[in-house]
Amino acid sequence: MPGAPMFVGLENYAELMADSRFWNSVVVTAELIFIPVAAQVAIGLLLAMVLKEKLAGTRWMRMAFLLPAVIPPAVSGLIWKLFIVPDAGGLAWLGGLFGADMSLDLLSMPSSALAVVIVASVWTGTPFVALLFLSALESIGDDQYEAARIDGASWFQSHWHISLPELRPAIITVTVFRILEALAIFPIIFVLTGGGPAGSTEPVNYLAYVNGFEYLRVDYAATIIVSFFIVMMALCAPFLVGIARREAKEVR
């Protein structure tokens, strides 16, 4: 029989501040947010610029890019787990083509396990980012690019001086929402690594899951989530306020 409810005040928060596992999960969370989001924005922007040129085959490429975005995250995690199976997965086969030894279990080492999770996250999120940027690029008038070409601007210069300034609001918006959605990587981690090895891929939300559903410390799990929510809102609030102000000015 469970004991009677007892008010503990800030005891859970004091324990949280002294919990080294929690601080490790904060570092892992930062790595799983900022590295994949930066890569998604950079690669997605480059892909969008290439797709805008309407080269041969880009129509089919647009359809192919959607595939990772529509696959459920848990299935994506399973795909990557099968892909990197030592001596048997697709990565081992590719390594064999180039004479590389891919017999190592990448998920058994902290640094490589985190790298695999990051790559899986980038693979999952980049197509959606690229399509958003492509939609924003196609709203820019072709006459600006024509004028730049007449003035002797190269492809790179045209995008640097025209596309990037025009896309600045879209880049900020996409970055903020990708940061907010970055923790949706939970199913991939659950399938791929289970937070291991040695907590190297254990973000804050996974730590809360472990405490709540494995250790049955629901109160401590709630403390973890509330603390992380406050931090995330504090980080994202300036960007969200900026977006709201810009939208208000456009309405006026």
Side-chain angles (χ1 to χ4, degrees), residues 144-163:
Q144 297 186 56
Y145 296 101
E146 288 292 337
R149 276 192 286 268
I150 292 173
D151 291 337
S154 64
W155 180 87
F156 176 80
Q157 290 172 326
S158 296
H159 283 295
W160 181 264
H161 294 287
I162 298 174
S163 300

Side-chain angles (χ1 to χ4, degrees), residues 19-190:
D19 189 349
S20 60
R21 187 173 178 181
F22 168 72
W23 290 112
N24 173 73
S25 71
V26 170
V27 174
V28 172
T29 301
E31 293 173 329
L32 291 178
I33 289 178
F34 295 110
I35 297 176
V37 169
Q40 288 171 18
V41 171
I43 298 173
L45 188 57
L46 180 60
L47 288 175
M49 291 176 179
V50 172
L51 290 174
K52 187 180 186 299
E53 301 302 320
K54 296 182 174 62
L55 303 174
T58 52
R59 182 178 178 184
W60 294 103
M61 288 173 65
R62 295 189 188 193
M63 298 175 61
F65 284 153
L66 281 174
L67 185 59
V70 299
I71 295 177
V75 177
S76 297
L78 182 60
I79 290 173
W80 278 94
K81 192 164 189 174
L82 294 174
F83 180 71
I84 62 175
V85 172
D87 294 326
L91 184 61
W93 178 78
L94 290 175
L97 294 179
F98 298 96
D101 181 14
M102 301 303 298
S103 59
L104 292 175
D105 184 1
L106 298 178
L107 297 181
S108 66
M109 298 176 289
S111 58
S112 58
L114 182 63
V116 170
V117 173
I118 289 174
V119 171
S121 176
V122 173
W123 180 76
T124 303
T126 298
F128 183 67
V129 172
L131 290 178
L132 290 177
F133 285 148
L134 179 61
S135 176
L137 275 174
E138 290 180 338
S139 67
I140 303 174
D142 291 335
D143 54 330
Q144 297 186 56
Y145 296 101
E146 288 292 337
R149 276 192 286 268
I150 292 173
D151 291 337
S154 64
W155 180 87
F156 176 80
Q157 290 172 326
S158 296
H159 283 295
W160 181 264
H161 294 287
I162 298 174
S163 300
L164 289 181
E166 293 286 343
L167 287 178
R168 184 174 176 273
I171 292 173
I172 294 174
T173 303
V174 169
T175 300
V176 171
F177 283 99
R178 288 310 303 169
I179 289 174
L180 292 174
E181 294 174 6
L183 290 180
I185 198 175
F186 175 93
I188 294 178
I189 293 175
F190 185 85

Side-chain angles (χ1 to χ4, degrees), residues 1-25:
M1 293 292 292
M6 180 177 63
F7 180 69
V8 297
L10 300 177
E11 186 177 305
N12 284 327
Y13 289 94
E15 180 182 351
L16 186 68
M17 293 299 101
D19 189 349
S20 60
R21 187 173 178 181
F22 168 72
W23 290 112
N24 173 73
S25 71

